[in-house]
């Protein structure tokens, strides 16, 4: 039984994330989508909200579960018997940092990282850009699951002005 972990902030989940999760679900017997919770980072959505959105988005993938973690990703992977971390790579610019993290994680617990190339249709997609575009009234439908659109608009409206 091979178990992969797809970690991220998912603030909010995008169709690019879901592309990677769906493809990871064909490579591993079980996939855990792991939401990183770091209180020092200013997130738009709470950990509970990010988890709930991911649960809804992955409901059609029977071998995928969603969980959250604080602290080191490698500790989460050890505690959950994971064989590999799965990361999407959008472009060469992602590679340097992702390679550094993969090597650090490997040096900590010898866990492998599997890089999955992002599908070209999502190669420009990032949660940070989705939030920025939506904050200025741009149309982000088609970039995130439809059920994220309402909560995204509501959260951005509640956010204090700069
Ligand atoms: O979606 P993101 O923001 O790129 O996700 C980053 C995340 C959560 C995967 C990364 O920050 C992480 O692994 N955090 C856990 C803390 C940790 O293990 N740090 C050492 C990494 S080498």
């Amino acid at each position: 039984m091979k178990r992969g972990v797809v970690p991220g902030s998912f603030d909010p989940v995008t169709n690019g994330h879901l592309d990677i999760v769906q493809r990871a679900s064909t490579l591993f017997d079980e996939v855990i989508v792991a939401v990183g919770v770091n209180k020092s980072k200013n997130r738009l959505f709470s950990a509970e909200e990010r988890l709930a959105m991911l649960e809804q988005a992955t409901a059609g993938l029977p071998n995928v579960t969603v969980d959250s973690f604080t602290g080191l990703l490698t500790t989460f992977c050890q505690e959950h018997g994971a064989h590999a971390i799965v990361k999407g790579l959008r472009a060469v610019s992602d590679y340097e940092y992702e390679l550094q993290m993969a090597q650090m994680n490997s040096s900590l617990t010898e866990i492998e990282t599997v890089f999955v190339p992002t599908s070209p249709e999502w190669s420009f997609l990032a949660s940070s850009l989705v939030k920025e575009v939506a904050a200025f009234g741009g149309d982000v439908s088609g970039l995130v699951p439809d059920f994220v659109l309402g909560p995204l608009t509501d959260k951005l409206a509640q956010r204090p002005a700069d």
Side-chain angles (χ1 to χ4, degrees):
M1 173 76 76
K2 291 283 180 196
R3 192 171 291 136
V5 168
V6 182
S9 306
F10 306 105
D11 187 38
V13 60
T14 69
N15 290 343
H17 293 132
L18 294 175
D19 170 50
I20 298 299
V21 172
Q22 188 275 325
R23 287 160 61 205
S25 77
T26 69
L27 299 174
F28 291 87
D29 300 306
E30 282 181 20
V31 167
I32 307 173
V33 182
V35 180
V37 179
N38 183 344
K39 295 282 179 211
S40 68
K41 296 247 173 98
N42 206 5
R43 305 293 186 200
L44 185 62
F45 290 97
S46 69
E48 293 72 25
E49 290 166 333
R50 286 180 277 148
L51 234 88
M53 287 189 285
L54 277 162
E55 270 164 5
Q56 192 170 344
T58 60
L61 299 171
N63 63 337
V64 174
T65 57
V66 180
D67 205 343
S68 63
F69 72 100
T70 54
L72 287 177
L73 175 59
T74 48
T75 306
F76 177 88
C77 289
Q78 279 181 317
E79 288 171 355
H80 291 79
H83 299 89
I85 296 165
V86 182
K87 287 288 193 88
L89 280 185
R90 288 166 296 196
V92 174
S93 50
D94 280 344
Y95 181 69
E96 271 186 47
Y97 184 51
E98 291 296 343
L99 178 66
Q100 193 180 15
M101 283 202 288
Q103 289 171 334
M104 175 60 87
N105 286 330
S106 168
S107 83
L108 291 170
T109 60
E110 296 187 357
I111 190 154
E112 291 289 359
T113 295
V114 174
F115 292 128
V116 175
T118 298
S119 298
E121 65 180 314
W122 310 122
S123 62
F124 61 93
L125 194 48
S127 296
S128 55
L129 279 185
V130 166
K131 286 181 280 193
E132 183 169 332
V133 170
F136 288 117
D139 181 9
V140 294
S141 60
L143 303 180
V144 295
D146 285 346
F147 65 82
V148 171
L149 294 170
L152 180 60
T153 308
D154 294 347
K155 279 280 172 183
L156 289 166
Q158 290 161 18
R159 199 164 65 169
D162 287 344

